[in-house]
Amino acid sequence: MIYSKMNVLMKTTFTMICFFVLFSCTQKTPTDLTLVSIIPLPVSVQATGSSFALSADTDIYVSKEHQSIAQYLAAQLNPATGLDITVKTEAPTSSSSHIYLSISPEEKDLGEEGYLLEISEDSLKLTANNPAGLFRGVQTIRQLLPAKIEMSTKQEGPWEIPTGTIRDKPQYAFRGAMLDVSRHFFGVEDVKQYIDMIAHYKMNVLHLHLSDDQGWRIEIKSWPNLTKHGGSTQVGGGKGGFYTQEQYKEIVQYAQDRFITIIPEIDMPGHTNAALSSYPELNCDGKAPELYTGIEVGFSSLCTSKEITYKFIEDVIKELAALTPGPYIHIGGDESHATKKEDYLPFIEKVQDIVQKYGKQPIGWEEAAQAKLKGNTVIQYWSNPDHAKEAFAKNLQVIMSPAKKAYMDMQYDSTTALGLHWAAYIEVDSAYIWDMETIVAGAKKENILGIEAPLWTETILKMDDIEYMIFPRLPGYAEIGWSPASMRNWDSYKRRLGEHGARFKAMNINYYPSKLVDWSLAKEVK
């Protein structure tokens, strides 16, 4: 009798254990998608309270035409999860646990870069109107997973994503960063790393400042001494460097694969000492100056009255246009203090015509707005609001890069070892709390092309320096360009930014730990 009772008890206990094991294996973790710290802030997020889990059964399904985006996603997921998620282009045999990427012509309201993310317990579906939208959505998927997903070695799971729906698209078509490779040269791998960092925050433009007083960084086959001599040094007298045309193509392709447009800049008529030192005929007196390794500005000028100057410019633009699939070539035009205004204005107009002759849209720094410009020429505002107002009055498109807010080489405060502070000290809150539509009186939203955050490199020597100056300010600039101004709020943003500290650590980014942000949530990654 006692044996019979014990047998019944054991069977009951075993049954209860099996029930709880089964229940625990099928029960999904409760979540709230609206609480996930996504940067830039999406336009619309709706939560359904459960979770989707990556597992050994998860695959990515996509059409053959967009297989590369799916491969990119798999490459982001596999190192940390160790799941060996594969990309498949045939129809799935089951609908559970998979990720689906698709282009839908019915989602035209998402525009060029918008996406729809639908997450259920059984599947994750990413839909866009264009491939660029899929790629932007992939960045959101990365941010929905724990920060350790960014690590390059296998980590412990679980790998859960909150369920719900995100419908998102950018407010501005142009969201960029600039890298000055002239003051200090940075090689191809560094530029690729910069591209990856801006891509993660859905930026779509990289402006490369390829020439200045201190160095010429792009091979021009018809004028080889530009790089042989003009590219041989940098600020402080280091060895400098330059990109061969093949290397430049490699950078352009790497950016294209991430739906980022490269904008090359050849600054002129000032900021040209490297070119003037390389070819004496570009100087009015026919004498080549010495190479320059300091950081002063405004002392150099191409000879605007010589025909050889315009032959030189046309040769450069012709070669650069052939290498650059994007629509823009930047012609500089800033701080031309050594060029008389009566010479400067017709110079800008002639160079504008040369750029347009080779099928590209010219971009000029704000001073160029004083010239007679054609409708497709773009102005980049950086310092003097009167120049920006003139551009708006002429109905030109304007890129907003106010130095006192958006220059990433400005020091955070007086204790920052790197950078300068001639425009301002720019702490993380100051970098975020401004609006492109109100920073210049009379600005018209329809004439604002977007935002660009430049990094000048007078004091920047290595990749760690770049990371320290752009993080954590870069995500804020990305959000200013992507998210509606009415949704942006510093208190909300600084909480999300604090949580992204864990991602910075996982990506091995050397960031500035601003005291204005609570980084305690960044302890997830050690």
Side-chain angles (χ1 to χ4, degrees):
M1 188 70 174
I2 294 173
Y3 174 79
S4 178
K5 287 182 179 181
M6 288 180 64
N7 193 38
V8 170
L9 180 62
M10 289 175 67
K11 287 182 178 179
T12 302
T13 303
F14 179 76
T15 301
M16 290 178 68
I17 290 171
C18 289
F19 172 78
F20 284 118
V21 169
L22 179 64
F23 182 80
S24 64
C25 289
T26 58
Q27 181 75 356
K28 299 293 183 178
T29 304
T31 62
D32 187 344
L33 184 60
T34 64
L35 297 181
V36 179
S37 294
I38 304 170
I39 302 175
L41 186 67
V43 173
S44 172
V45 181
Q46 295 178 319
T48 53
S50 190
S51 60
F52 167 81
L54 300 179
S55 72
D57 296 326
T58 302
D59 291 313
I60 304 172
Y61 286 87
V62 69
S63 66
K64 289 182 180 179
E65 295 87 344
H66 308 110
Q67 192 172 354
S68 62
I69 300 172
Q71 294 286 7
Y72 171 90
L73 174 57
Q76 301 302 313
L77 302 179
N78 283 332
T81 65
L83 292 175
D84 194 25
I85 295 169
T86 58
V87 174
K88 298 186 176 181
T89 56
E90 71 274 12
T93 55
S94 66
S95 60
S96 62
S97 300
H98 297 313
I99 298 171
Y100 301 86
L101 309 185
S102 63
I103 297 294
S104 173
E106 297 177 3
E107 299 292 346
K108 292 190 183 299
D109 64 314
L110 293 174
E112 291 291 323
E113 298 179 272
Y115 63 92
L116 172 64
L117 195 54
E118 298 169 293
I119 310 157
S120 69
E121 292 182 354
D122 297 324
S123 66
L124 185 154
K125 298 178 181 178
L126 175 61
T127 308
N129 185 44
N130 283 292
L134 288 181
F135 188 82
R136 307 299 174 224
V138 163
Q139 309 315 312
T140 297
I141 293 171
R142 290 170 65 184
Q143 292 189 21
L144 293 176
L145 285 159
K148 58 190 175 184
I149 193 67
E150 303 297 339
M151 300 189 76
S152 59
T153 56
K154 187 177 178 180
Q155 307 295 308
E156 290 299 318
W159 302 102
E160 295 178 327
I161 295 176
T163 58
T165 301
I166 297 175
R167 194 174 189 88
D168 198 14
K169 64 180 180 180
Q171 301 304 296
Y172 290 93
F174 188 112
R175 306 173 311 282
M178 190 208 79
L179 179 61
D180 168 18
V181 294
S182 293
R183 271 50 177 272
H184 282 103
F185 180 68
F186 292 88
V188 171
E189 294 307 312
D190 286 339
V191 177
K192 287 180 178 179
Q193 189 174 339
Y194 197 86
I195 289 169
D196 282 332
M197 290 187 293
I198 69 174
H200 185 52
Y201 289 99
K202 302 187 178 76
M203 285 183 159
N204 63 357
V205 173
L206 174 60
H207 169 185
L208 286 176
H209 186 75
L210 293 169
S211 71
D212 212 299
D213 291 314
Q214 298 87 350
W216 187 284
R217 307 305 182 196
I218 179 68
E219 176 189 20
I220 302 297
K221 293 183 183 295
S222 54
W223 297 74
N225 211 39
L226 289 170
T227 47
K228 182 180 180 181
H229 178 70
S232 64
T233 191
Q234 58 185 11
V235 167
K239 67 176 183 178
F242 66 92
Y243 309 115
T244 66
Q245 293 195 359
E246 289 304 311
Q247 288 174 322
Y248 178 77
K249 289 178 185 177
E250 183 181 344
I251 290 170
V252 167
Q253 185 60 57
Y254 192 85
Q256 279 189 309
D257 291 344
R258 287 148 184 78
F259 298 89
I260 289 174
T261 298
I262 296 293
I263 298 177
E265 180 187 355
I266 303 299
D267 206 347
M268 51 185 147
H271 289 279
T272 47
N273 192 80
L276 298 172
S277 182
S278 301
Y279 289 97
E281 60 266 40
L282 300 176
N283 297 272
C284 287
D285 62 4
K287 298 178 181 179
E290 296 294 320
L291 288 170
Y292 182 67
T293 60
I295 64 170
E296 296 300 318
V297 299
F299 62 88
S300 61
S301 178
L302 293 168
C303 189
T304 61
S305 61
K306 281 187 170 184
E307 284 302 313
I308 188 66
T309 295
Y310 299 98
K311 182 185 186 313
F312 161 73
I313 292 169
E314 182 157 358
D315 288 344
V316 170
I317 297 300
K318 180 180 179 180
E319 291 193 34
L320 203 51
L323 297 167
T324 305
Y328 303 108
I329 287 182
H330 205 304
I331 62 173
D334 62 316
E335 297 176 319
S336 296
H337 306 315
T339 314
K340 294 179 181 179
K341 188 172 182 179
E342 58 266 31
D343 297 327
Y344 174 83
L345 298 180
F347 173 87
I348 292 294
E349 292 156 16
K350 287 182 180 180
V351 175
Q352 170 188 238
D353 290 343
I354 292 170
V355 172
Q356 291 173 339
K357 175 181 176 180
Y358 291 97
K360 301 298 182 183
Q361 280 183 259
I363 301 176
W365 293 105
E366 65 185 37
E367 292 91 328
Q370 302 168 90
K372 295 177 182 178
L373 300 179
K374 297 177 180 177
N376 75 338
T377 297
V378 177
I379 290 298
Q380 187 165 2
Y381 164 61
W382 67 278
S383 178
N384 187 337
D386 289 338
H387 292 322
K389 290 175 186 176
E390 191 166 0
F392 285 120
K394 292 179 177 179
N395 205 33
L396 299 171
Q397 292 285 290
V398 179
I399 300 165
M400 305 301 281
S401 302
K404 64 182 181 180
K405 290 288 187 181
Y407 270 31
M408 295 189 290
D409 57 300
M410 291 297 106
Q411 294 170 314
Y412 294 99
D413 59 28
S414 61
T415 68
T416 309
L418 298 169
L420 304 170
H421 59 266
W422 56 264
Y425 292 112
I426 306 179
E427 247 291 3
V428 182
D429 59 343
S430 181
Y432 181 80
I433 305 171
W434 63 282
D435 188 84
M436 289 192 283
E437 293 179 47
T438 59
I439 197 162
V440 174
K444 307 172 188 176
K445 183 176 182 179
E446 61 269 24
N447 289 99
I448 297 175
L449 187 59
I451 185 172
E452 181 183 290
L455 178 69
W456 304 101
T457 61
E458 288 94 336
T459 68
I460 310 301
L461 303 175
K462 56 188 184 298
M463 199 67 209
D464 272 3
D465 299 344
I466 288 178
E467 292 171 354
Y468 189 82
M469 297 307 287
I470 72 174
F471 283 100
R473 292 183 286 204
L474 179 78
Y477 299 130
E479 183 154 301
I480 290 170
W482 183 281
S483 307
S486 60
M487 294 176 61
R488 292 195 291 110
N489 175 278
W490 166 247
D491 289 333
S492 164
Y493 174 71
K494 71 178 181 181
R495 176 190 62 80
R496 288 181 285 123
L497 183 63
E499 293 188 9
H500 272 242
R503 295 190 182 275
F504 302 158
K505 289 184 178 180
M507 294 174 172
N508 200 29
I509 288 173
N510 178 37
Y511 70 98
Y512 163 71
S514 170
K515 294 179 181 178
L516 302 179
V517 177
D518 180 4
W519 302 102
S520 62
L521 294 172
K523 294 178 181 178
E524 175 193 334
V525 176
K526 298 178 181 179

